[in-house]
Amino acid sequence: MLMTPGPTAVPEPVREAMSRELINPDVDPEFRAIYDRVTERLATVYGIDADGSGGEAGPGGARDVVVLGGEGILGLEAAVASLVEPGTEVLCLANGLYGEGFADFVESYGGDPTVVAAGHDEPLPLDALDEALAADDADFDVATMVHCETPTGALNDVDAALDRIEAADAEVLTVVDAVSSLGGVSVPTERIDVCLGASQKCFSAPPGLATAAVSERAWAAMAARDPHSLYANFLPFRDVSDGFPYTHLTTEVVALDAALGLLVDEGLDAVRERHEAAAARCRERGAALGLETVPGPERSSPTVTAFETPGRAETLQERLREDHDVLLATGLGDGAADVLRVGHMGHNARIERVDEAMDALAAVL
């Protein structure tokens, strides 16, 4: 049983959709109809098209949804590649691996990152953010942050960070990695210029697609910068009425369409309640086993739980896989040996699946 925080288990209706005859995305109009339905369903999940009006306006104007062919990290790089050029000042707010990783992308595209960081077990450093924004030489063009830091299971208070950025400089473009929360947790997309998601997390489709909701002013900034990359670039996807910039990942788009259909049919409120219930059960079972979560339960995401298992994570992972056919994830980077993660997101956000995984974990502890 796959219980990792992405890729997640793919439900049977999605697998069935993938087994159908291949559609040529370059010449068959059926594919365009499927792609359009995917973006419409994504807009509903992003919370920017709940009334069917074509996109809710917020700071920066209405949002458009696009789907790029590539694993979720493509979205992070494409956001930077599309908005950053030599000399672009970028504030990178970080309390984890992916928040810090934004700065690496910024440097690779010639930008100047200012990293405002906290420890991986700490909340976003909002006081330090205020100081950075108030500095005499502060002149940021873009700000980046992560909603759910998957390696630690932390759900960050991006609303509080956005409040401070908007108050200090309403012209700063904001980029939020919501890859591990979108679809399982409410995301304030209407306040974000580029809000990133991916197929393999809460949607429970296979890895291979990066999604984004992009504001009007972000589109304008991208057009003014004229990004040099074709692949790591959102601009070619803004208008695909005359075709896609490259052959799209047909099977993955069909799978995402089926996965989003399940999610929308269930209802977003019900989906989020299911994630909350699964997370609560996972942490209740973990506490009974004497396990503590990395960021603390009040800051842990409804989509993933990271248990502290000092020095034992890899051994426990191996025994779970070999003895019980349950696959969990260890931490990443410095936490690889000390953190064991249960992914209760998407299709896996169900009490019975959490119980099966925690029964196995209890047996190997």
Side-chain angles (χ1 to χ4, degrees), residues 91-93 116 124 126 129-130 132-134 140-145 157-176 191-193 217:
L91 188 155
C92 300
L93 188 61
V116 179
L124 290 176
L126 298 178
L129 172 61
D130 286 336
L133 291 167
F140 298 111
D141 304 293
V142 179
T144 67
M145 67 194 78
D157 187 357
V158 297
D159 272 306
L162 292 168
D163 286 343
R164 288 163 165 76
I165 293 168
E166 290 170 7
D169 186 349
E171 299 304 313
V172 174
L173 296 168
T174 53
V175 177
V176 174
R191 306 184 64 190
I192 300 165
D193 289 293
R217 68 176 184 175

Side-chain angles (χ1 to χ4, degrees), residues 37-90:
R37 186 168 62 233
V38 166
T39 58
E40 290 169 4
R41 287 171 165 171
L42 279 169
T44 298
V45 176
Y46 271 108
I48 55 174
D49 197 24
D51 60 359
S53 62
E56 180 179 333
R63 271 72 180 158
D64 296 318
V65 175
V66 296
V67 181
L68 276 63
E71 194 272 337
I73 202 69
L74 172 63
L76 278 67
E77 179 169 358
V80 173
S82 299
L83 291 171
V84 172
E85 60 187 356
T88 302
E89 296 286 342
V90 183

Side-chain angles (χ1 to χ4, degrees), residues 72-83 102 105-106 108-109 196 229 232-234:
I73 202 69
L74 172 63
L76 278 67
E77 179 169 358
V80 173
S82 299
L83 291 171
F102 267 120
F105 282 131
V106 170
S108 69
Y109 285 92
L196 302 166
S229 172
N233 186 354
F234 286 123

Side-chain angles (χ1 to χ4, degrees), residues 3-6 148-155 180 275-287 291-297 299-309 328-331 339-345 354 358 361:
M3 287 291 287
T4 58
C148 173
E149 271 286 359
T150 326
T152 59
L155 188 70
S180 295
H275 279 77
E276 292 280 0
R281 176 63 68 89
C282 185
R283 287 153 202 167
E284 176 186 348
R285 293 289 306 272
L291 298 174
E292 296 183 356
T293 58
V294 175
R299 292 196 299 107
S300 292
S301 174
T303 60
V304 54
T305 294
F307 289 119
E308 294 183 4
T309 55
L328 303 186
T330 63
V339 175
L340 190 67
R341 297 181 293 152
V342 182
H344 36 75
M345 58 173 62
V354 169
M358 296 306 291
L361 182 55

